């Protein structure tokens, strides 16, 4: 690894701890960011000459804290600093910070930093953008590319989000057990949002959006290091790993979607699968089931099946039933219907999803599944109507192309009438 590479790696790894501590000290996101950036510049000058510090995060906190104080003084035109308790509730002296990070403090620092990014006043896209900028350190250009928007538009989005955070008055005190649990649940949801933003894509966008999946996995692993006995964080990390392991097989050479049952499983990442399966097993041993663990257990059943026909659909049906009880949702019922179709046939699955139509009338996957079930029941014309609706609701060109393949098959098999050509 080159000198610049190891410095970059060390700074990236230390960023969440350092940013979290500086935010706790200054209670202002922009000030904390500026202090951290200044500390990074000093690290680039200092570390190559003097070697890496024993604790890069502590070094960056110490240097960033001093830099931030200097910046505040300059902005105040050498006015006296406010009282310490107005600037910070940092309990450790500077010498203690330089010596080592207090584990309990930095755990809450990182949780607070992530929690601020997923403030409920922010739309999901802004939550993700701010987290990627502030916590992960991605550049505005990188984030804009992942969201397929212009750099200036993304800059404005992040600036607006920071302004709303500043006005929100997020508490900086160390949270109690109940609040910590609530914050952790909110942060886990945001990490999952980041992953889905990268996962829900087409083949053309995949290279640009893949870093979102990778960053979500890195954040999940970070949470897991901080909360090592939390089975839901184990489940979240496992779920992301098991889903991302299938990424190389999700599209064919023409960019068309490849369904799970048709994927070349030799392309799946065995390393990610093994890590995910180990985490699923570890989480379930705690006997405190939660939604992420159940979803990870479902993904694990797919991962353990060497061939599609080996999939344990009975167990998947049972797990989705448990997930329905934990998080009642028409989308979960829709997903369960796929397993029901495998176990009890398409007619039972169709009966399960038909009552969902009023709530899922704008959902692509509902009409895609409905058309597929009708197609299996040889109800071609009804299937064609459902497929047409799915195409109208498709989120990507790949989704629309996949549905058109089904319609072409219906026409080829004579299950539906070929549309009449319009006269010139």
């Amino acid at each position: 690894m080159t000198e610049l590479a190891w410095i970059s790696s060390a700074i990236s790894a230390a960023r969440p701890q350092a940013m979290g501590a500086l935010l706790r000290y200054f209670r202002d996101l922009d000030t904390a960011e500026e202090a951290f950036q200044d500390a990074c510049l000093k690290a680039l000058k200092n570390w190559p000459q003097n070697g890496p510090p024993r604790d890069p995060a502590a070094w960056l906190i110490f240097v960033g804290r001093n830099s931030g104080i200097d910046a505040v003084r300059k902005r105040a035109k050498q006015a006296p600093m406010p009282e310490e308790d107005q600037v910070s509730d940092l309990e450790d002296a500077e010498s203690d910070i330089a010596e080592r990070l207090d584990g309990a403090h930095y755990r809450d620092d990182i949780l607070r930093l992530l929690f601020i990014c997923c403030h409920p006043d922010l739309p999901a896209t802004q939550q993700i953008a701010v987290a990627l900028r502030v916590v992960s350190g991605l550049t505005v250009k990188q984030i804009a590319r992942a969201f397929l928007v212009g750099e200036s538009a993304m800059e404005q989005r992040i600036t607006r989000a920071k302004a709303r955070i500043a006005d929100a008055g997020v508490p900086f005190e160390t949270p109690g057990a109940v609040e910590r649990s609530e914050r952790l649940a909110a942060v886990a949801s945001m990490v999952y949002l980041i992953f889905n933003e990268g996962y829900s894509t087409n083949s053309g966008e995949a290279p640009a959006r893949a870093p979102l999946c990778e960053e979500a996995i890195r954040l999940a692993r970070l949470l897991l290091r901080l909360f090592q006995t939390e089975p839901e964080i184990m489940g979240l990390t496992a779920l992301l790993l098991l889903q991302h392991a299938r990424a190389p097989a999700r599209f064919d050479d023409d960019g068309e979607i490849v369904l799970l049952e048709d994927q070349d499983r030799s392309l799946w990442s065995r390393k990610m699968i093994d890590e995910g399966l180990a985490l699923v097993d570890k989480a379930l041993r705690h006997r405190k089931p939660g939604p992420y663990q159940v979803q990870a257990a479902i993904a694990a059943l797919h991962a353990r099946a060497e061939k599609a026909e080996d999939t344990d659909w009975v167990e998947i049906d049972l797990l989705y039933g448990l997930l329905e009880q934990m998080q009642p949702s028409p989308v979960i019922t829709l997903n369960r219907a796929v397993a029901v179709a495998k176990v009890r046939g398409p007619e039972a699955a169709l009966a399960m999803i038909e009552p969902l139509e009023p709530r899922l009338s704008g959902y692509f996957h509902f009409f895609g599944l409905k058309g597929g079930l009708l197609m299996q029941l040889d109800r071609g014309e009804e299937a064609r109507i459902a497929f047409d609706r799915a195409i109208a609701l498709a989120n990507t060109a790949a989704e629309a192309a996949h549905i058109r393949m089904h319609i072409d098959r219906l026409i080829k098999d004579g299950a539906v009438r070929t549309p009449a050509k319009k006269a010139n």
Side-chain angles (χ1 to χ4, degrees), residues 53-309:
R54 185 165 51 117
D55 189 336
W59 192 98
L60 290 165
I61 292 168
F62 180 68
V63 174
R65 184 174 187 262
N66 288 338
S67 175
I69 289 172
D70 289 343
V72 171
R73 283 181 175 144
K74 286 178 183 177
R75 283 198 293 269
K77 296 182 179 178
Q78 305 302 318
M81 286 289 288
E83 293 298 319
E84 178 74 7
D85 59 3
Q86 290 180 295
V87 179
S88 165
D89 65 352
L90 188 63
E91 296 168 5
D92 302 334
E94 289 182 5
S95 58
D96 293 330
I97 295 177
E99 191 63 32
R100 61 175 292 181
L101 280 169
D102 179 278
H105 259 319
Y106 95 73
R107 184 175 80 159
D108 285 329
D109 284 342
I110 296 173
L111 185 58
R112 181 189 298 110
L113 180 64
L114 286 163
F115 180 70
I116 284 173
C117 294
C118 65
H119 195 278
D121 286 350
L122 299 179
T125 53
Q126 288 188 12
Q127 290 181 17
I128 295 169
V130 171
L132 292 173
R133 179 73 195 99
V134 174
V135 184
S136 304
L138 271 66
T139 65
V140 174
K141 184 176 182 179
Q142 288 172 312
I143 301 169
R145 182 169 178 261
F147 277 87
L148 308 176
V149 298
E151 194 171 341
S152 60
M154 181 54 67
E155 182 74 64
Q156 291 173 8
R157 185 180 297 180
I158 293 172
T159 300
R160 286 195 298 269
K162 285 182 179 178
R164 294 181 79 170
I165 288 170
D167 294 338
V170 178
F172 283 82
E173 292 71 24
T174 300
V178 174
E179 187 181 0
R180 183 181 286 118
S181 176
E182 291 173 349
R183 286 187 177 190
L184 188 57
V187 168
S189 296
M190 185 199 65
V191 171
Y192 195 39
L193 276 176
I194 292 174
F195 182 85
N196 280 335
E197 193 67 34
Y199 194 77
S200 303
T201 184
N202 59 43
S203 61
E205 299 170 355
R209 297 171 78 94
L212 298 183
C213 293
E214 292 158 7
E215 190 55 38
I217 290 171
R218 191 179 78 86
L219 291 174
R221 284 175 171 148
L222 172 62
L223 287 177
L224 190 56
R225 286 199 300 274
L226 298 176
F227 300 92
Q228 297 181 15
T229 60
E230 287 288 341
E232 270 294 80
I233 301 303
M234 297 176 201
L236 170 65
T237 310
L239 175 60
L240 304 191
L241 286 165
L242 293 170
Q243 287 186 325
H244 197 47
R246 302 197 295 259
R250 292 182 62 216
F251 300 98
D252 63 19
D253 293 338
D254 297 322
E256 303 294 342
I257 291 174
V258 181
L259 295 181
L260 179 59
E261 62 188 33
D262 298 322
Q263 289 177 10
D264 179 355
R265 300 185 178 216
S266 68
L267 298 176
W268 292 1
S269 170
R270 196 69 243 171
K271 183 179 179 182
M272 283 190 183
I273 288 172
D274 290 343
E275 183 182 354
L277 293 179
L279 282 172
V280 170
D281 292 340
K282 185 178 180 181
L284 295 180
R285 283 198 294 270
H286 285 259
R287 298 188 179 278
K288 294 179 180 177
Y292 290 122
Q293 294 172 73
V294 175
Q295 291 176 78
I298 292 169
L301 288 170
H302 288 298
R304 286 190 166 107
E306 292 186 10
K307 302 186 296 294
E309 52 266 33

Side-chain angles (χ1 to χ4, degrees), residues 332-350:
I332 291 172
T333 303
L334 187 71
N335 290 335
R336 185 184 181 187
V338 176
V340 169
K342 299 288 186 181
V343 176
R344 301 200 293 271
E347 195 163 356
L350 189 62

Side-chain angles (χ1 to χ4, degrees), residues 341-402:
K342 299 288 186 181
V343 176
R344 301 200 293 271
E347 195 163 356
L350 189 62
M352 176 180 283
I353 70 167
E354 281 183 331
L356 306 177
E357 186 160 352
R359 286 178 289 171
L360 297 178
S361 59
Y363 192 51
F364 162 81
H365 294 287
F366 173 82
F367 290 98
L369 177 59
K370 181 179 180 180
L373 295 173
L374 289 166
M375 191 173 171
Q376 291 178 52
L377 292 168
D378 295 326
R379 293 161 61 176
E381 291 295 341
E382 294 172 84
R384 171 68 179 267
I385 293 170
F387 285 145
D388 284 342
R389 179 63 177 149
I391 289 173
L393 294 169
N395 300 298
T396 67
E399 287 180 347
H402 178 74

